Amino acid sequence: MSRIVGVKLVYRCSKNIKPNESYVYIANHQNSYDLMTVSHAAEPGVVTMGKKSLKWIPIFGLIYWLSGNILIDRKNTGRARDTLSATGKTMKKRNLSIWIFPEGTRSRGKGIQPFKTGAFRLALSEKKKIVPVVCSDITNGKIKFNRWNNGIVIIETLDPVSIDPQAHAKHLAEQFKQDMEITFKRISEEAERLSEKK
């Protein structure tokens, strides 16, 4: 789908990702183009966790739900926690990896926004490694549908990170956000340089 909007993807995946191991993937969430860009990094056996309202999007919502993705009610804290607990059980039973956008909503060109703690609570409770996935800046204004070349987007799946079982989810959220911001800045600058050369 990225070719339809004139975006060339450059994808780099850590060689330390093991195909039969389940992880908690976390990725930055920029805008609706994520469906055509950062989703490229979803490995086999990965399902996403998204907000419940996604099911009301015509066609996409049904496909999203039928594909085994997990819908969470963010407005109801109790239900959200129950969903996390059920997700942990599903991970064990089906040896799945879970993909979460910890920002909880699209950043819309404002860089990486503060992370919510759900992904980190899940990783702690299930003793899973966290895999950061970072997509370079792709703000709405950069893509114009009246041209074939809308530049290059770089996506990097970083090394899995083992976490201290005694760590607090809030501290993990802050640390991973800081680390991903460094990668985001680096690959955004690189993507800009490569796009100018095209």
Side-chain angles (χ1 to χ4, degrees):
M1 287 181 69
S2 59
R3 293 177 185 173
I4 295 170
V5 295
V7 170
K8 180 182 177 183
L9 297 182
V10 175
Y11 178 49
R12 301 166 185 156
C13 183
S14 166
K15 294 179 181 178
N16 295 319
I17 305 287
K18 297 178 181 176
N20 297 318
E21 189 168 338
S22 89
Y23 303 99
V24 174
Y25 286 80
I26 58 171
N28 59 315
H29 193 15
Q30 299 184 65
N31 50 43
S32 299
Y33 295 119
D34 289 342
L35 184 63
M36 301 174 233
T37 55
V38 74
S39 63
H40 183 78
E43 300 290 326
V46 175
V47 295
T48 67
M49 182 176 285
K51 58 187 177 181
K52 196 175 180 181
S53 59
L54 288 173
K55 73 178 181 180
W56 302 113
I57 299 174
I59 302 172
F60 172 80
L62 183 62
I63 294 170
Y64 185 83
W65 178 68
L66 290 174
S67 302
N69 295 293
I70 297 161
L71 296 167
I72 188 167
D73 187 353
R74 294 187 313 188
K75 293 178 181 176
N76 188 317
T77 306
R79 283 187 185 172
R81 285 180 180 156
D82 289 344
T83 303
L84 278 177
S85 177
T87 299
K89 291 175 184 175
T90 304
M91 287 180 79
K92 285 178 184 173
K93 185 177 179 181
R94 295 171 53 195
N95 195 37
L96 290 174
S97 291
I98 303 295
W99 176 297
I100 299 175
F101 292 109
E103 290 162 284
T105 190
R106 292 165 287 185
S107 62
R108 301 183 187 277
K110 297 176 184 173
I112 297 180
Q113 300 302 292
F115 285 177
K116 294 178 173 21
T117 59
F120 308 97
R121 285 191 279 117
L122 179 62
L124 284 166
S125 67
E126 300 306 316
K127 300 177 175 60
K128 298 295 182 185
K129 293 178 180 176
I130 295 176
V131 178
V133 180
V134 187
C135 181
S136 65
D137 182 33
I138 180 163
T139 52
N140 290 326
K142 287 189 175 182
I143 292 182
K144 299 189 187 310
F145 289 103
N146 62 351
R147 63 185 182 194
W148 288 107
N149 179 9
N150 280 304
I152 292 171
V153 173
I154 300 173
I155 304 154
E156 286 194 6
T157 297
L158 307 179
D159 288 340
V161 179
S162 297
I163 56 176
D164 181 353
Q166 304 302 316
H168 291 281
K170 187 175 180 181
H171 295 154
L172 288 172
E174 291 168 356
Q175 184 59 58
F176 274 90
K177 177 185 180 293
Q178 290 172 13
D179 293 344
M180 288 173 67
E181 280 178 324
I182 293 168
T183 301
F184 177 74
K185 185 175 185 296
R186 173 177 57 79
I187 63 176
S188 294
E189 290 172 354
E190 181 185 356
E192 192 70 34
R193 289 195 303 271
L194 292 173
S195 296
E196 287 171 358
K197 289 179 182 178
K198 278 192 75 177

